[in-house]
Amino acid sequence: SRGITRALESPPSPAAYHPAMVKRNPNFGKLASSYLFVEIRNRKEAFMAANPDAKLIALGIGDTTEPLPQVIVDAVKAKADAMATREGYQGYPEPYGEDDIRKHIAKEIYKDAVSFDEIFVSDGSKPDLARFQFLSAAGSKIAVQDPVYPAYVDQSVIGGKTGQNKDGRYENIVYMDCNPANNFFPDLSILDSSVDYIFFCSPANPSGAVATKEQLAALIAKAKEI
C-alpha cells in the first residue's frame, strides 16, 4: 500500500521510537575495575608483546589440561544417544539431581555418612554461593580472605551487600588479611556478630595456602560463636 511504501522511503524519526526504560542495577556501577583475570590476561599479553623471549609463568585463571577419561566420554555419548529415542528421552532433570547419581555420591564419596536426600547436584559452587546471598537482606555483611578469589567479592557487590570501593576495599566487607606474617591464616578475632557470611577457601585462591585441621576447627568454632 501507499502507507507501507512511504514508511520504507521515509524511516521514522528517533522521536517516534519508544525504547524500554529498564533501569540498570546500580550496584554494577560500584565494581572498581574489570574482572581480575581479564586484567591479568591483558597485562600478560602486553608483557609478552614487549618481551617475546620471556619465559613467563602465568598465575591467572586456571584451566584444565588433561582429556576426559574414556569412561566419562562413553557415558555422555550413551546418554546423548538415548535422548534420540522415545524410551530414553528425558525432559527437565530432577530439581535436586538424579536420584541414582545422588545415591552413588552418598555411597562412594561420603561412605553413607549422609543420606542421598541431603545431596544437591548443582551447576557449581560459585553460582550456589551467589544464590545463598539472594536469601539475605541487602545490608548483610560478608567476610573474605584477602587476597581472595574475586568472584566472591564481585557477586556480593552486584547483590547489593556492599558500599563503595575505597582504596581498593569495599565498605561493609570484613577483609581478613592472609599473608606470610600470619602463615596465610587470618586473625579470627576481627570477626564479630555483624558478619553474616564467611567466605573461606582451603586451598586458598590465589595463595594456595592450606589450612590445618586445627585452624579449620577454630574457624568453625568462631562461626558458631558469632
Side-chain angles (χ1 to χ4, degrees):
S1 70
R2 180 174 175 81
I4 294 176
T5 302
R6 290 181 62 187
L8 292 173
E9 291 176 348
S10 303
S13 66
Y17 291 104
H18 300 280
M21 300 300 291
V22 178
K23 295 182 179 179
R24 187 184 74 163
N25 178 350
N27 295 304
F28 278 101
K30 297 178 184 177
L31 294 174
S33 61
S34 64
Y35 192 47
L36 176 62
F37 294 120
V38 174
E39 179 66 19
I40 293 175
R41 183 198 63 193
N42 293 340
R43 293 191 185 192
K44 181 186 73 173
E45 291 178 352
F47 177 83
M48 293 306 299
N51 305 272
D53 296 327
K55 294 182 179 180
L56 181 68
I57 299 177
L59 297 179
I61 193 167
D63 201 353
T64 55
T65 59
E66 301 299 316
L68 291 174
Q70 190 61 44
V71 63
I72 294 179
V73 174
D74 291 342
V76 171
K77 287 181 178 178
K79 189 67 174 180
D81 288 339
M83 291 291 286
T85 67
R86 178 63 61 184
E87 297 77 15
Y89 175 78
Q90 181 179 1
Y92 289 120
E94 295 295 326
Y96 305 114
E98 299 296 328
D99 286 352
D100 288 345
I101 296 175
R102 296 162 68 207
K103 290 176 180 178
H104 190 78
I105 292 172
K107 179 179 180 181
E108 300 298 331
I109 297 179
Y110 293 102
K111 308 303 180 185
D112 291 323
V114 298
S115 172
F116 85 95
D117 58 8
E118 297 181 75
I119 295 172
F120 173 70
V121 180
S122 74
D123 56 345
S125 61
K126 184 166 61 176
D128 283 343
L129 289 171
R131 295 181 187 115
F132 268 120
Q133 296 196 59
F134 294 159
L135 303 176
S136 60
S140 300
K141 181 182 289 187
I142 71 166
V144 296
Q145 293 157 288
D146 188 24
V148 65
Y149 182 60
Y152 303 148
V153 171
D154 289 352
Q155 66 192 23
S156 302
V157 174
I158 295 171
K161 303 295 189 292
T162 73
Q164 298 297 325
N165 185 290
K166 293 184 177 180
D167 300 322
R169 290 187 169 187
Y170 288 96
E171 299 169 319
N172 205 46
I173 289 183
V174 176
Y175 288 87
M176 303 182 293
D177 291 324
C178 296
N179 50 55
N182 59 18
N183 200 26
F184 294 99
F185 188 80
D187 176 9
L188 300 180
S189 67
I190 67 173
L191 302 177
D192 58 30
S193 59
S194 67
V195 174
D196 298 289
Y197 296 93
I198 302 172
F199 285 82
F200 189 87
C201 292
S202 180
N205 184 336
S207 69
V210 179
T212 66
K213 181 178 179 180
E214 291 73 21
Q215 288 172 331
L216 292 174
L219 176 65
I220 293 172
K222 187 64 176 181
K224 290 181 176 180
E225 173 190 329
I226 65 175

